[in-house]
Structure formats: C-alpha cells, structure tokens
Amino acid sequence: MKRRDLLRSTMGAATAAAVAGLVGPSTVAAAQAAGQRRPDTLRVRILMYDGVEEVDSIGPAEVFDIARVYFDAKIDVKYVTVDEPRVIPMNRGAKMVVEHRWRSRDADIVIVPGGGWRDPEAPGTHVEIARGVIPRAIAEAHDGRRIIAGVCVGVMLMSAAGLTKDRPCTTHALAKERLEAEGGILKTARVVDAGTVVTAGGVTSGIDEALWLVEREFGPDMAVGVERTLEYERRGTVWRA
C-alpha cells in the first residue's frame, strides 16, 4: 500500500487531504518515510506529580502524538508517576488520570515538566525536591541509555538529581539564578541539548523542546510536518553541545 493510501486508510480521506494541504504532500511523504526508518519504537514517558503544569506536560505529549498519528512515527507516549497510578491534581486546576507507574527501563525519553514554583508550600516542584523521590528516580534513570528532558522548572528536579551540574542548561527565568548557583552552566537559548540531558526555558518552550527531539530522533521533515500540523512556529535557538 502506498504511503498516501495508508494515510487515507488510517485517518480518513478528508483528514489526510487536509494534512497534505497544510504541510504539503512531499512533506507528508518524507515525514512518513522518516518515521518508518526507525527499527524500534521510541518510548516517551512524561513524569507527572501533584502541582505539575498543564502546558509543560501536555504540550510535549501533543507533539509526539501528532508525529505518531499523522506521520506514522513509531512512538509510544505515556504519562507516568513515581507513585501509584492515580488522579493527579495539576497546577491550574485540571486533573489527569495517570494509569502507569514509571519504570526507567521502559523509557527512551523522559520528559520532566515543572509546576508550582511561585509558592514553595504548594504542591509542585519545591515539594517534590524536598520529598526527594523524583530526583532519586531521575538520577537512577540517567545512565547514558536514555534522554532526560526538562521543561521550565522541571529542570530544577533534574538539578536536584545532579544532572545539570557542570553541564550546559537552561530553565524558566524565575529559576535561572538558583540553577546557576547549583552548578548549572546557563546558556541563553530556548532549548539546550547537552546529549542525554536536554533542557528548555519557560512553559511553552516544552513544545519547542519536543519538536527538537522529534527532529533529533526522526529528522527535520518529521519535525516540519508536526510543526505545521500544530500550526505552531518554533521559537528561539537550540543550543547543541
């Protein structure tokens, strides 16, 4: 079956035509070809906890899932928690049912969102740093076999785990001073790629970070296709080691 026919059979002819019109038939074909070149499935896990920021976590998930649904990328995205699966109360009032417990061996990319930085007493990043469970899990997961990618002040959970010390990194402007005090090498960029440690600035930069990771894993045609389908324009610089 030809790629265009496959697209029509999986999404419906009308949706396939709309996507092709939005991103261009050649981009669809190139993105699908890139998605099929990967021999195994890219396992993306988004780490959830009480007080997590909605856009930090849902934005990256949207990017990876669009690559999967519209361009046949071999990606498996799951929201996970280090605690028992449960309903997670989020920073802006939404609630999410998280059905999976995080096991680092089941992940190729771990997204670490931020949340709740303004109030150290409220559920969120400060509380999780003090509790210590997530930083320990991140430190254990960072064994050179997977990418740990922080969004916004989720980077501070990575800092508590020792991942950003003496490494190029960035975070939300409100936390940069502390990140540098804890040993991070701050870079003026929206996304900082230091190999297996990738960090991004404020809330919406998680979308840019996820698009960069799609490009890194599947190539620029896939990233362009997802970006256009989102009707989103990437911003800022990706600093690469």
Side-chain angles (χ1 to χ4, degrees), residues 2 7 17-18 20-21 97 103 113 118 127 139 145 152 171 183 187 210 219 238:
K2 293 181 179 179
L7 186 66
V97 177
R103 292 175 174 81
R118 186 179 62 178
V127 171
R145 292 180 291 182
C152 193
T171 187
K187 296 295 180 181
V238 176

Side-chain angles (χ1 to χ4, degrees), residues 123-184:
T125 313
H126 288 289
V127 171
E128 295 303 327
I129 289 171
R131 189 166 75 109
V133 177
I134 289 177
R136 285 194 296 272
I138 292 171
E140 179 184 345
H142 187 241
D143 58 4
R145 292 180 291 182
R146 61 188 54 83
I147 297 168
I148 312 295
V151 181
C152 193
V153 294
V155 176
M156 300 312 298
L157 286 162
M158 295 166 61
S159 179
L163 269 64
T164 57
K165 185 175 175 59
D166 299 325
R167 276 195 175 92
C169 56
T170 190
T171 187
H172 192 287
L174 294 176
K176 284 184 176 180
E177 185 175 346
R178 177 164 163 178
L179 181 61
E180 189 170 32
E182 293 179 1

Side-chain angles (χ1 to χ4, degrees), residues 45-60 79-82 86-98 111-119 122-128 131 134 149-155 157 203:
R45 303 295 180 254
I46 301 174
L47 186 55
M48 305 294 284
Y49 53 90
D50 291 1
V52 69
E53 172 66 39
E54 283 85 340
V55 177
D56 280 16
S57 49
I58 296 171
Y79 294 101
V80 297
T81 173
V82 295
R86 59 193 175 86
V87 175
I88 298 288
M90 303 174 80
N91 188 44
R92 304 293 173 185
K95 294 182 179 180
M96 179 182 289
V97 177
V98 178
I111 304 293
V112 185
W117 187 255
R118 186 179 62 178
D119 183 358
T125 313
H126 288 289
V127 171
E128 295 303 327
R131 189 166 75 109
I134 289 177
V151 181
C152 193
V153 294
V155 176
L157 286 162
V203 180

